[in-house]
Amino acid sequence: PVLQIGGAEGRMIAQSGSIHRYLAALVKTPGFFPQDLAEQAYCDMIQEAAQDMWKIQPIVNMFSDEKFHQEKEDFFKNTLPSTLHALTKLLSTHLFFNGSKVAYCDFAVYHHFDLCRLVEPTVFADFPTIKKWMSRVEELPGVSNYLARRPECVGIGVNPKQQPRA
């Protein structure tokens, strides 16, 4: 992805992580973009761990038939387990990954975990900490409203596409 800042003559920013951090810094909610450098680095670490799960995006939105099944099996067997266990440990007893306040890294992880649930609805059955955290994210002001209105992913694995919600 690319984000152009400052109009037609503005700077072009590429790479998801760079765009996430730039946009997060614009949010005025305290803690969303940590001010402390160590907290920023920690949040970046979580965000980058979410990026390690990038393969779930084409699994949900692009692959079909045999390619879908191959990529799905590889992701759920070789990619997700180690990242899921590491993130569960990092979340521990915190409300959010950076502590008691939601930060931009929470949304990066939520996005990928939510896609995982679309493909395997019970994927977090043995991870109550993650399930509770996902519920907390979904209950944040504005998030539940967005989730109720966003396009729905349909035809996953067969003819993937997004369709407006009724």
Side-chain angles (χ1 to χ4, degrees):
V2 177
L3 175 67
Q4 187 167 7
I5 303 167
E9 301 301 316
R11 185 176 297 261
M12 300 291 277
I13 306 294
Q15 299 298 331
S16 298
S18 298
I19 293 168
H20 291 167
R21 285 182 285 280
Y22 172 78
L23 294 174
L26 298 176
V27 175
K28 302 300 180 203
T29 301
F32 192 77
F33 185 79
Q35 298 304 301
D36 177 80
L37 291 177
E39 292 298 314
Q40 280 182 22
Y42 187 83
C43 196
D44 281 348
M45 175 184 74
I46 303 296
Q47 200 267 323
E48 293 299 328
Q51 290 299 100
D52 289 345
M53 297 183 285
W54 70 271
K55 194 61 158 268
I56 192 65
Q57 295 179 112
I59 291 169
V60 170
N61 296 309
M62 193 172 83
F63 299 144
S64 60
D65 303 321
E66 186 61 31
K67 178 74 168 169
F68 168 80
H69 293 290
Q70 289 171 348
E71 295 292 341
K72 173 188 167 186
E73 181 179 348
D74 180 59
F75 177 82
F76 283 95
K77 183 178 179 183
N78 299 316
T79 302
L80 183 62
S82 60
T83 305
L84 177 56
H85 286 283
L87 288 171
T88 301
K89 187 175 180 179
L90 291 169
L91 181 60
S92 183
T93 59
H94 303 294
L95 292 176
F96 299 101
F97 280 101
N98 242 30
S100 62
K101 295 180 180 174
V102 68
Y104 76 93
C105 61
D106 289 287
F107 289 99
V109 175
Y110 179 85
H111 167 69
H112 289 91
F113 279 0
D114 188 42
L115 293 177
C116 289
R117 283 191 308 195
L118 287 176
V119 177
E120 288 290 337
T122 62
V123 67
F124 303 118
D126 295 331
F127 296 88
T129 301
I130 296 298
K131 288 172 63 173
K132 290 176 188 172
W133 167 80
M134 291 186 78
S135 291
R136 279 192 294 278
V137 171
E138 292 163 351
E139 293 166 2
L140 289 167
V143 174
S144 60
N145 219 6
Y146 165 74
L147 293 174
R149 292 177 301 145
R150 72 177 174 179
E152 186 176 10
C153 294
V154 297
I156 296 171
V158 180
N159 182 22
K161 59 185 171 187
Q162 293 185 347
Q163 73 181 24
R165 293 199 184 260

